[in-house]
Every structure is written in structure tokens, then in C-alpha cells.
Amino acid sequence: MARDTDTNLRNKVLYSIFVRNHTNEGTLKALEDDLDRIQELGTDYVWLLPIHPIGEVNRKGDLGSPYAIKDYRFIDPTLGTEEDFRHLVEEIHKRGMGIIMDVVYNHTSPDSLLAKEHPEWFYQDRTGSPTHRFVEWTDVIDLDYNNVRLWDYQIETLKYWATMVDGFRCDCASMIPIDFWLLARKEVEEVNPTCIWVAETMYPDYIFELRDEGFYAASDSEVYAAFDATYDYDSRSLMEGYLNGIVSFESFLMIKQRQEVQYPENYIKLRFLENHDQKRVQTLVKSERALLNWTAFLYFEKGMTLIQAGQEKGILHTTSLFNKDPLVWEKKEGIDLTWLFKKLEQLKVEPTFSSEHYHLTGDKDCASLYGYYQKGEERWVGIFCLRGADASMFVDIPDGTYRNILNNEDIFVEEGRVRIHGMPLIFKAKSPPKRSELVYSPYKEQVSLSVREQTGV
């Protein structure tokens, strides 16, 4: 973790936008008309997928991927001009939001400016031609950071954009040396000392694959040296496996718990249920009650929250990265959760949610997660049945009546147990009179309760 990372970033919400497909016009100017709605969701940062010119050689689809960049220092003319971009940034700032630019420094398009002017800055195959490390990435060629002159060019580019934007989301950050990112962060601070850095880290399987081939690939723990937040891909495959019925509840819970001890104490994860590389969450979670619980847990879990444009409206279609494929905002497909996003944003700004004192456990029998943030004697509690079913589970808080902030209904804790009626439960409570601790035991393949300083329980 970068030492000067502000843990208040855990209270922030990012909203991801692919400009070309966000509106029918697909321009920076047209996006401005949606900023008020985006702000009302509780958005803190607007993250734009790459907005640079796209290469033509080996294009995928009709228009090509925004991640096959031709020139890092210009705006794609089909989206608008740099003046349009500056005006958009101004409008975002007027609404109290920040803007995050997508940085794609692992690769360029085969016909990029850098490929033409500095072919020696790229990985090369046995014939001396620029190449890529992943076979399926046929529309890009990979940069080789063994060339120190490349570092100077890339950092100068970052410093240019950092005078306009509030942060960078760095694509494939794990594939680029940490020493480069450390230097980049240091130099960018000269022009923008409050710039935030979000790393797209990798699935563990990808790290294994790259290292087996003799390539560099950093773990999340290494990446934290330079970045404020990393992707939650280390738990993503287990989440998908659980939803598909091939991973146990215990395994999913355990990977979430391990994050609390395998990363620095002030670590920040970028939490998401979907992004532009993933399926829409409502194609995975089809029960409305289960969806409410997964969405509430997304906001409750320690870390920054990422929302992909359209997620709040229940859009089921995954927009194409390679063609003109605008979001159909008026079409009623899935469940509109705008009301829930607005409710949860009120929760997200609570200072306690940036606390280090976060605990998560669960009950496999009812597939329910029980988490809390502790601050003094006060506790923010969240209970989420991932199946959206009626259930009952133990909670180590005093018996009494509490109020669910999501719907203002009463929650009753009796004899240490709470009834769940499908709806996620989030409420304030007092700590138990004596210290207790919920512990998950992977060896027993069950969620067990270890109570200290109590007898007869």
C-alpha cells in the first residue's frame, strides 16, 4: 500500500463509463447531459474507459477496442476534442465529483505512434517483430519496460493528463514493473499531489501463466507499494464459482477473510459485482432478494465501490468493446435498483466505514454473511443472505430491537439470534458486554463460534 494512501477512499464510489456506448451520440459532450443523474447516485469519481485514438491494424470488430491505443497524448476525434474533454472535466468538478482516466501502459495498437517511432520499446518474437504475451490479444503489441527511455515518455504523458484529472485507473498494472509505478507516482505528485491510483490487478491463474512463461507479473501485495487500491480479482473467481454451485460458501468466505491479514492494514480493494470485462450481475444473480443482498454487501464490504454504467438500471446486455453498441436506458430488462444505490450511498459516507476494525464471518447453513465495523462501543452491522432466503443466524450483539436503515423496519435480536426475511439488514448496534470473536475454521469446514470470557454459551 502506498504509505500516504488516504483510507477515506473506502468511503468512495466509482462509476465506470464507456463514452462511445454510453449515449446514442457516443461523445464527450453528450455525456454531460447525464452527469446530474450520475451524481445523484452518490458517485464520487467518474471513471472513463480509454478515450484516446484507436488503432486500425488488427482491429477487433468495426470500431476496435479502446484498449488498443494509437496515441496516448490525444483524444479520439470520434469522441470529441481536448477542449470537449476539458469542459467535461469542468462539469464533473462543478458537481463535486472527480474524474479518473484509464491508463493502458501494457500495450498499444500495432500501428501506434510508439510502434512506428520506437519499435525497440516492444516485446519481439523470434523474427524481431513486435508481439503480445497473451495469445488472444491479437489487436495489441506489448511494451517492454526494460527500455528506460520508455519510462520517461510514459511518465511525461501521465504528468500532462494529471494536470486535468483526479486519478488514474491503470490497466494490466500487474504486468508492468512496480519500480516504474513508484517513479511515476512520485513524479506525478509534482503536478497533482492528490492524484489517486487504482490498479487493475490480475486473477491468480493469469499470474501463474505469465510467470510460467518467464514474464513479470506482480501480486496484489506487491502492487500496493505504489497504488491506493487494487482490483478484487483474487476473490472474483470464488464468487463466480459459488454462484455457479461449484465453490462452497466456506471457500468464498475464507478468501474474503484472508484479505484482512494478507494485505497491509490500510489496504483498499475496489469492490465490484460487474465491470466492462465481466457479465452483468443480473445474469448471474437472478433472484431479486438475492440481488438486493449481493448489492448491499458490495457497498458494505470494506473498500471502494465500483458501479458499471447501467448496473443501477438492471441492464442485462454487456455492451461491446469493439462496435457501436449504445446502452438502451429506456428498455426494461432487469431490476431497477436506483433506489437501493441511493440508500447505500448514504451508508457509504459514514466515517466508520473507513475503519480498520472490520470483521466478517457467516453461517453456511443459511448462506448468510455477518459483518461489522467497530468504533468504540458502537458497531455498524450488516447481515446478507446470499440466497435471499428466510433464515435465522447467531449475531454477537445484545438482544434488542434495531432499525434497518434500508427500509426502516424493525430488526429483532432474541437470545443472540436474528431472523432474516430476504431483505439485507444494515443497522447500528452496541458492542456485546464482553469481548467475543467469530472465527471461521477451514479445517472443520464449518462456521464456528468462539466466545471468550463468556460461560454457558
Side-chain angles (χ1 to χ4, degrees), residues 26-123:
T27 63
L28 296 165
K29 282 185 177 179
L31 175 58
E32 292 185 13
D33 292 337
D34 198 27
L35 291 180
D36 287 338
R37 185 192 66 84
I38 292 170
Q39 189 273 333
E40 288 171 1
L41 286 174
T43 301
D44 296 291
Y45 291 98
V46 174
W47 158 32
L48 302 184
L49 271 63
I51 55 173
H52 306 296
I54 296 171
E56 298 176 4
V57 173
N58 293 344
R59 265 190 180 180
K60 292 183 177 180
D62 296 330
L63 300 179
S65 168
Y67 290 91
I69 293 173
K70 194 171 185 178
D71 193 332
Y72 291 121
R73 296 186 176 182
F74 287 90
I75 301 294
D76 184 345
T78 66
L79 305 181
T81 65
E82 184 171 315
E83 183 180 353
D84 294 335
F85 178 64
R86 288 179 180 272
H87 191 268
L88 174 65
V89 171
E90 181 181 344
E91 290 299 312
I92 288 172
H93 287 163
K94 279 182 181 178
R95 290 163 174 81
M97 299 184 290
I99 182 167
I100 291 180
M101 174 176 272
D102 212 325
V103 173
V104 188
Y105 271 10
N106 178 67
H107 46 257
T108 73
S109 67
D111 56 341
S112 68
L113 176 69
L114 293 187
K116 292 177 180 178
E117 296 185 352
H118 296 284
E120 73 278 9
W121 288 358
F122 292 81
Y123 281 102

Side-chain angles (χ1 to χ4, degrees), residues 19-21 23-27 62-63 320 322-326:
V19 176
R20 184 169 76 199
N21 285 335
T23 63
N24 289 328
E25 299 87 348
T27 63
D62 296 330
L63 300 179
S320 171
F322 313 122
N323 300 296
K324 182 63 177 176
D325 185 21

Side-chain angles (χ1 to χ4, degrees), residues 47-306:
W47 158 32
L48 302 184
L49 271 63
I51 55 173
H52 306 296
I54 296 171
E56 298 176 4
V57 173
N58 293 344
R59 265 190 180 180
K60 292 183 177 180
D62 296 330
L63 300 179
S65 168
Y67 290 91
I69 293 173
K70 194 171 185 178
D71 193 332
Y72 291 121
R73 296 186 176 182
F74 287 90
I75 301 294
D76 184 345
T78 66
L79 305 181
T81 65
E82 184 171 315
E83 183 180 353
D84 294 335
F85 178 64
R86 288 179 180 272
H87 191 268
L88 174 65
V89 171
E90 181 181 344
E91 290 299 312
I92 288 172
H93 287 163
K94 279 182 181 178
R95 290 163 174 81
M97 299 184 290
I99 182 167
I100 291 180
M101 174 176 272
D102 212 325
V103 173
V104 188
Y105 271 10
N106 178 67
H107 46 257
T108 73
S109 67
D111 56 341
S112 68
L113 176 69
L114 293 187
K116 292 177 180 178
E117 296 185 352
H118 296 284
E120 73 278 9
W121 288 358
F122 292 81
Y123 281 102
Q124 299 177 356
D125 62 21
R126 293 180 180 178
T127 69
S129 300
T131 189
H132 42 266
R133 283 166 283 183
F134 284 117
V135 175
E136 63 270 24
W137 293 3
T138 56
D139 59 340
V140 297
I141 51 176
D142 288 359
L143 288 157
D144 183 355
Y145 281 80
N146 287 314
N147 298 281
V148 178
R149 289 180 59 201
L150 169 62
W151 291 33
D152 296 335
Y153 181 91
Q154 300 291 61
I155 291 173
E156 284 304 311
T157 303
L158 286 171
K159 291 170 73 174
Y160 175 75
W161 294 114
T163 62
M164 307 177 212
V165 303
D166 304 287
F168 298 113
R169 177 268 184 190
C170 300
D171 189 69
C172 300
S174 305
M175 298 174 70
I176 298 169
I178 296 301
D179 286 344
F180 167 79
W181 292 122
L182 286 167
L183 181 60
R185 182 176 182 126
K186 179 181 178 181
E187 295 204 19
V188 165
E189 283 180 353
E190 297 174 3
V191 298
N192 185 349
T194 61
C195 182
I196 69 168
W197 297 77
V198 179
E200 184 200 28
T201 41
M202 306 175 72
Y203 281 101
D205 287 349
Y206 282 168
I207 296 175
F208 278 124
E209 182 178 343
L210 283 167
R211 289 178 176 177
D212 282 348
E213 294 294 326
F215 294 116
Y216 177 87
S219 67
D220 286 25
S221 295
E222 294 170 291
V223 170
Y224 273 127
F227 284 84
D228 298 307
T230 68
Y231 266 45
D232 200 12
Y233 276 150
D234 51 328
S235 71
R236 175 73 187 191
S237 58
L238 290 176
M239 169 194 157
E240 293 176 350
Y242 172 70
L243 288 171
N244 291 322
I246 58 176
V247 168
S248 69
F249 174 85
E250 296 93 332
S251 295
F252 172 66
L253 172 61
M254 183 170 63
I255 193 67
K256 291 294 187 180
Q257 291 174 322
R258 281 183 176 175
Q259 290 177 339
E260 287 298 300
V261 293
Q262 69 185 21
Y263 298 130
E265 188 177 23
N266 63 337
Y267 85 98
I268 301 175
K269 276 288 180 183
L270 184 64
R271 309 291 188 181
F272 54 86
L273 294 176
E274 60 182 57
N275 62 46
H276 67 273
D277 286 324
Q278 308 295 327
K279 293 179 180 179
R280 292 286 188 175
V281 65
Q282 292 198 32
T283 67
L284 299 172
V285 183
K286 298 179 181 179
S287 157
E288 181 172 359
R289 296 208 307 183
L291 179 64
L292 294 177
N293 280 270
W294 280 99
T295 303
F297 178 60
L298 167 68
Y299 273 77
F300 185 89
E301 194 174 11
K302 186 164 74 175
M304 302 174 78
T305 300
L306 172 63

Side-chain angles (χ1 to χ4, degrees), residues 438-453:
L438 289 168
V439 180
Y440 170 64
S441 172
Y443 305 104
K444 295 181 180 179
E445 284 297 307
Q446 64 181 7
V447 179
S448 62
L449 178 67
S450 173
V451 181
R452 299 176 181 174
E453 300 178 13

